[in-house]
Amino acid sequence: MKKLILSFIAGCIALTVTAQTKITLNTDLAKTKINKHIYGHFAEHLGRCIYGGMYVGENNTKIPNTAGVRNDVIQALKELKVPNLRWPGGCFADAYQWKDGIGPKEKRPKMVNVWWGGVTEDNSFGTHDFLDLCERIGAEPYLAGNVGSGTVQDLADWVSYVNQPTGSPMSDLRIQNGRKQPWNVKIWGVGNEAWGCGGNMTPEYYANIYRQYATFMKDITPESKLYKVASGASSDDFAWTETLMKNIPHNMMSALALHHYSVLSWKDTKGPSVGFTEAQYFKTMDEAWKMEEFVTKHSTIMDKYDPEKKIDLIVDEWGGWYETDAEGKGALYQQNTMRDAMIAGLTLNIFNNHADRVRGANLAQIVNVLQAVILTNEEKMLLTPTFHVMKMYNVHQDATLVPMSIDSPTYEFNGKKLTAVSSSASKDASGALNISLTNIDFRKSHEVTINLRGEDFSKVSGQILASTNISDHNTFEQPNKVSVKDFSGAKLEKGVLKLTIPAYSVITLKVSK
């Protein structure tokens, strides 16, 4: 009995003991810009992302809106400083006929969303609605073109419709539909997931298709010089990247996409969004950490063909993916917990630290779908833990990456190990240093020592996102259960920062002179 009691006490101590993480920041070697577009978002015609999420209709008197888009959503997206927003898909993009979403709304033909629940849509949210929303929130639009079922002419016409000032049939049609000035849309996806729902193509075939479509997507004005994104690989399909880099002329391609989700399994259960086990949590973190491997290896292939790094890597779909009971109009709705905050913090650290090649990304998705930053229910709206992390991290947008070395203990489960603490840092225009830390450890807090070399700093402040349970989340009854708090636990002395980061938490620090 005495041995059992001693074993129990020892186990409790093991759960609470802190581990040591050591970081060195070379503040005088900062030179690479962290492109703000790494903090992009994604809005697909899927479930309640558009209809019943962002868009509630112009005639809705119950929910305050501007041109049918919820005012609370608009305000939240402004707070996030969303740099770009991708639309209309996703898989939906390669079934979407953009001309059905313009003109008088009462005359627009309906369509069946064949990819997500077979829901009938009335096309009331279309090109004008989306591009006007982007203007309101200060985001650059990222239009995903239909290559899977659309024609070259369809895509060329869309470019002309949104970018040609005057003098073409498409510009005349836009003006007739109430928009005199062009939107000058720069970012264009030439298809989506061409290896799957975008056409089940081989990489060789898609490379040729890309060349054909991209040829007819013309720069119309200097203000609308097109940034063309090729449909890239899924996770570890390195052969896809190799084939595209080899076969697409580099002067025709601005960026290459990559998709990777932190999902337990594509064949079996994806697990619950709340009430998951530690085994499921560990597997999700393992999948999230794979982003480091995938970004590194795809970048290495790109370096082989593009050593000057002129072509960007754009991770335009990422996030957590779990089971949902919702179908049709509620497809892929899932709750958002502290686990999702871990995915967000870890992934953004990876992107920041690969800023020399990763120059854009899009979290999937923005409202009510997958790892959403916003959830809505009729007139109610809440901000998720992921929203808070994205907002905490937006200090890195267009800041200068500070090189670092990090030595972190591991988070261990059933004999497997993952790096527990990840970090990234940048210098902003004022010269202040912003440091982000994420501890994915399910059980242990970590003592962190940060050596600041190259410059002298005297002040430190911070914020923390933490909670008492990894499944904690915000609900419409308790919308602020998980929220950001001020963090005063960092101490700065003689160029050394010391703090303790709790288990499954995110901290951002601002260090100034």
Side-chain angles (χ1 to χ4, degrees):
M1 184 67 177
K2 185 176 181 180
K3 289 183 179 179
L4 286 175
I5 293 172
L6 290 173
S7 297
F8 175 77
I9 293 173
C12 291
I13 293 173
L15 290 178
T16 57
V17 69
T18 57
Q20 300 286 332
T21 296
K22 297 179 180 179
I23 298 173
T24 298
L25 292 180
N26 298 296
T27 63
D28 56 336
L29 299 180
K31 62 179 182 178
T32 302
K33 185 174 80 169
I34 298 174
N35 196 307
K36 67 180 181 180
H37 289 293
I38 284 173
Y39 292 81
H41 291 263
F42 178 25
E44 183 170 3
H45 285 247
L46 195 174
R48 291 193 300 112
C49 183
I50 303 295
Y51 299 108
M54 291 168 48
Y55 184 75
V56 293
E58 293 89 333
N59 298 322
N60 193 314
T61 57
K62 187 178 178 182
I63 301 172
N65 67 85
T66 300
V69 179
R70 297 178 65 121
N71 289 343
D72 50 8
V73 169
I74 291 173
Q75 182 57 39
L77 299 184
K78 285 182 178 180
E79 290 179 20
L80 273 190
K81 299 181 181 178
V82 173
N84 76 81
L85 185 57
R86 182 172 180 245
W87 176 87
C91 291
F92 182 83
D94 283 296
Y96 183 62
Q97 304 300 318
W98 72 269
K99 290 177 183 175
D100 291 344
I102 60 173
K105 299 200 175 191
E106 66 276 8
K107 295 182 179 180
R108 295 180 189 179
K110 296 180 180 180
M111 68 169 292
V112 175
N113 190 333
V114 296
W115 286 110
W116 303 113
V119 176
T120 299
E121 299 192 8
D122 64 6
N123 276 310
S124 57
F125 188 91
T127 296
H128 288 249
D129 307 273
F130 173 70
L131 297 180
D132 289 348
L133 167 63
C134 288
E135 285 186 335
R136 289 189 192 99
I137 64 175
E140 280 201 51
Y142 174 2
L143 292 179
N146 182 347
V147 169
S149 68
T151 67
V152 174
Q153 187 67 58
D154 289 335
L155 190 47
D157 282 350
W158 204 9
V159 173
S160 179
Y161 186 86
V162 301
N163 285 354
Q164 183 76 42
T166 58
S168 76
M170 290 298 102
S171 64
D172 291 346
L173 181 58
R174 182 193 71 242
I175 293 168
Q176 176 185 321
N177 287 331
R179 173 76 182 200
K180 183 177 180 180
Q181 299 299 322
W183 288 279
N184 294 321
V185 177
K186 299 179 182 65
I187 311 173
W188 292 81
V190 187
N192 167 77
E193 294 190 355
W195 40 263
C197 61
N200 283 303
M201 304 176 192
T202 64
E204 293 82 4
Y205 182 80
Y206 172 71
N208 286 331
I209 287 290
Y210 176 93
R211 293 164 66 136
Q212 179 187 12
Y213 277 72
T215 297
F216 291 91
M217 298 170 67
K218 297 296 186 181
D219 296 334
I220 294 171
T221 65
E223 295 76 24
S224 60
K225 181 176 175 59
L226 303 189
Y227 180 93
K228 301 172 188 176
V229 183
S231 174
S234 172
S235 298
D236 61 351
D237 188 352
F238 305 115
W240 185 276
T241 295
E242 181 100 30
T243 301
L244 267 55
M245 290 299 295
K246 186 190 305 182
N247 292 309
I248 297 176
H250 294 178
N251 62 355
M252 296 183 70
M253 176 170 58
S254 308
L256 183 61
L258 172 65
H259 291 179
H260 175 63
Y261 287 95
S262 300
V263 61
L264 295 182
S265 171
W266 292 111
K267 295 180 180 179
D268 302 314
T269 178
K270 298 180 181 67
S273 61
V274 178
F276 43 85
T277 65
E278 185 177 359
Q280 290 170 322
Y281 172 75
F282 187 92
K283 173 62 175 173
T284 304
M285 292 302 103
D286 186 26
E287 289 299 316
W289 256 121
K290 285 180 181 178
M291 187 68 82
E292 172 70 31
E293 173 194 350
F294 298 154
V295 165
T296 299
K297 290 185 177 180
H298 285 289
S299 295
T300 299
I301 295 168
M302 295 175 75
D303 288 346
K304 175 181 173 182
Y305 297 93
D306 174 35
E308 296 181 353
K309 300 183 186 294
K310 293 183 177 180
I311 298 173
D312 301 339
L313 181 60
I314 305 294
V315 189
D316 57 13
E317 289 190 28
W318 67 273
W321 193 321
Y322 319 119
E323 293 291 349
T324 175
D325 295 328
E327 299 294 339
K329 292 184 178 180
L332 301 194
Y333 179 92
Q334 61 189 39
Q335 189 46 267
N336 196 287
T337 69
M338 284 299 298
R339 173 174 62 172
D340 297 282
M342 297 302 98
I343 295 173
L346 166 60
T347 304
L348 292 172
N349 285 333
I350 293 170
F351 292 160
N352 288 344
N353 289 323
H354 286 274
D356 61 333
R357 179 66 81 175
V358 179
R359 300 191 182 105
N362 298 83
L363 174 66
Q365 292 188 10
I366 202 157
V367 182
N368 290 334
V369 170
L370 297 178
Q371 192 173 336
V373 293
I374 297 168
L375 299 179
T376 67
N377 182 17
E378 298 294 338
E379 74 280 2
K380 297 178 181 179
M381 187 270 275
L382 64 81
L383 307 176
T384 68
T386 299
F387 175 96
H388 295 308
V389 174
M390 295 291 286
K391 186 176 179 181
M392 291 168 73
Y393 272 56
N394 68 22
V395 293
H396 296 301
Q397 292 188 18
D398 281 345
T400 306
L401 178 69
V402 175
M404 72 165 55
S405 63
I406 180 169
D407 180 12
S408 167
T410 56
Y411 161 39
E412 301 183 21
F413 180 77
N414 280 355
K416 296 181 179 180
K417 300 178 180 181
L418 295 172
T419 300
V421 176
S422 67
S423 180
S424 61
S426 66
K427 287 173 65 176
D428 62 25
S430 72
L433 183 64
N434 290 291
I435 306 169
S436 299
L437 298 154
T438 298
N439 178 18
I440 66 168
D441 202 313
F442 190 85
R443 300 177 180 277
K444 296 179 183 177
S445 60
H446 286 250
E447 290 181 357
V448 181
T449 300
I450 306 174
N451 290 292
L452 307 177
R453 64 162 304 277
E455 294 180 75
D456 294 326
F457 297 91
S458 61
K459 302 175 185 176
V460 60
S461 60
Q463 292 184 312
I464 184 169
L465 186 73
S467 198
T468 57
N469 190 293
I470 192 67
S471 274
D472 281 350
H473 57 278
N474 293 329
T475 65
F476 297 109
E477 293 71 34
Q478 291 183 288
N480 297 309
K481 182 174 183 177
V482 179
S483 60
V484 178
K485 303 290 193 302
D486 288 337
F487 178 74
S488 59
K491 306 303 178 185
L492 175 60
E493 185 176 353
K494 295 181 180 180
V496 178
L497 264 174
K498 291 187 177 181
L499 66 143
T500 297
I501 182 170
Y504 51 87
S505 67
V506 177
I507 291 175
T508 54
L509 302 172
K510 183 172 185 176
V511 188
S512 55
K513 296 180 178 180

